Amino acid sequence: MCCVSSDYTTSSVGKKGKSGLRVNGVMDNSGGDRIRGGRREEKESEPSGIKKGCLSMLASVQEGMGYCKAFVVGKGKKLTARNEEEATEADLQTAKMEVDAADAAEHTKNQLRHHHFN
């Protein structure tokens, strides 16, 4: 009937123990941490979630700018190429710059996923 009472009684939904509130197998401590499957998960505060989102978007914008830079540099070198070999080198440099931009953005996003903001 009742979810949880203030004493140590058990109900159909959850029970209260000394360490915190357990509801459907999930321990919720008053500090905002959750224990799920024996592993402690910290709830992300709203400002840190916004910060992560903005930094992730910045990484994506930088990746897009890297692609634009690669395109412009590649086209410029291809237009000024004196022979087929220089044109091929321009294409290869463009592809390398695009890969570098994607790798840098992926690295930044991986760091954001594994970093905990305070």
Side-chain angles (χ1 to χ4, degrees):
M1 307 279 287
C2 167
C3 292
V4 176
S5 65
S6 61
D7 58 327
Y8 294 100
T9 60
T10 303
S11 67
S12 62
V13 175
K15 66 181 179 180
K16 176 121 175 141
K18 291 185 179 183
S19 60
L21 175 66
R22 180 180 294 278
V23 178
N24 297 331
V26 177
M27 181 65 72
D28 190 6
N29 297 324
S30 60
D33 296 339
R34 293 191 128 189
I35 299 174
R36 198 175 292 251
R39 196 181 86 205
R40 175 173 233 118
E41 295 178 3
E42 293 183 20
K43 290 183 184 177
E44 220 176 70
S45 65
E46 194 169 324
S48 69
I50 292 171
K51 185 175 181 179
K52 262 187 183 179
C54 289
L55 290 173
S56 179
M57 186 180 80
L58 177 64
S60 296
V61 169
Q62 285 177 335
E63 180 183 11
M65 295 303 289
Y67 279 113
C68 290
K69 179 181 175 183
F71 176 79
V72 171
V73 168
K75 289 297 179 188
K77 287 193 176 217
K78 202 167 185 177
L79 287 173
T80 59
R82 289 175 264 155
N83 54 32
E84 188 70 28
E85 184 180 338
E86 287 181 2
T88 304
E89 286 178 18
D91 286 338
L92 288 174
Q93 185 178 7
T94 300
K96 183 182 181 306
M97 290 174 73
E98 289 173 349
V99 168
D100 289 344
D103 287 346
E106 182 179 344
H107 178 73
T108 301
K109 288 179 182 180
N110 283 336
Q111 282 183 327
L112 289 173
R113 280 188 212 108
H114 300 296
H115 182 70
H116 298 286
F117 294 96
N118 293 330

